[in-house]
Amino acid sequence: MRKYLLLFTFLFVAGCLSAQNKVVVSKRALKVYVISAKSDTLCTFRCACGKNRGNKRAKGDYRTPEGVFKVASIENSKYWKYKGIPHVYGPYFIRLKTPKWKGIGIHGTNSPKCIGTRCTKGCIRLRNKDLLQLVKYVKVGTEVRILNDYSR
């Protein structure tokens, strides 16, 4: 009996730990969705993604990679600069484990007018206020599924 109780406890805890939110990025709709473990849509944000359509093939091709990735880290990027320009990445950089590519993530922007467009080098951009909401739903290890340009 004790053996079954331990097995049940282990399976219950393992199920609770694996039952976490997922993030889905629709490049076609230019939207980011947070989906609960029960498949409910918790929130939706407009985004910007790679300037060029299709799956990332080469460094500098201005495409957002497609596939299933995991959050590698959530980094404070408030003080980061790009070519001397401050606040380019917003308050956080959600770094993705993209095996072929470095520096791909979901981050804020200092140019909110770009949201809803294809203008990035490959990252996914959100309004800073939306990014602040998103970080409440994700953690290291959260699945991020980036759909191709033709998926809904």
Side-chain angles (χ1 to χ4, degrees):
M1 179 68 168
R2 183 170 183 225
K3 182 167 72 172
Y4 293 112
L5 182 59
L6 286 172
L7 179 61
F8 173 77
T9 303
F10 172 77
L11 292 173
F12 178 76
V13 170
C16 289
L17 291 176
S18 66
Q20 60 179 311
N21 299 326
K22 295 178 181 170
V23 175
V24 176
V25 178
S26 170
K27 292 173 24 175
R28 180 179 182 179
L30 295 170
K31 292 193 177 175
V32 173
Y33 305 92
V34 178
I35 310 297
S36 75
K38 294 180 180 181
S39 298
D40 296 321
T41 301
L42 300 175
C43 48
T44 304
F45 308 110
R46 291 181 65 221
C47 71
C49 67
K51 186 175 185 175
N52 294 322
R53 294 181 187 271
N55 193 10
K56 189 158 194 65
R57 288 182 242 151
K59 183 178 178 179
D61 68 4
Y62 291 77
R63 290 184 173 95
T64 299
E66 300 165 352
V68 180
F69 309 104
K70 298 279 186 183
V71 172
S73 61
I74 301 172
E75 303 169 24
N76 180 340
S77 58
K78 287 180 195 172
Y79 306 106
W80 292 7
K81 293 181 180 180
Y82 177 76
K83 295 184 178 180
I85 303 167
H87 313 296
V88 173
Y89 299 97
Y92 291 100
F93 188 93
I94 302 171
R95 190 173 301 279
L96 302 179
K97 289 182 189 176
T98 51
K100 290 183 176 182
W101 316 109
K102 293 187 180 195
I104 300 292
I106 302 170
H107 60 81
T109 183
N110 64 348
S111 179
K113 290 180 182 177
C114 78
I115 301 304
T117 70
R118 295 178 162 274
C119 63
T120 79
K121 293 182 177 184
C123 285
I124 294 111
R125 290 187 201 165
L126 297 175
R127 287 186 180 90
N128 292 340
K129 68 180 182 115
D130 293 340
L131 182 65
L132 290 170
Q133 289 298 310
L134 180 63
V135 297
K136 294 177 183 178
Y137 292 101
V138 300
K139 61 184 178 179
V140 171
T142 297
E143 179 182 295
V144 177
R145 182 177 302 264
I146 304 175
L147 304 177
N148 67 43
D149 291 300
Y150 309 102
S151 298
R152 289 185 188 230

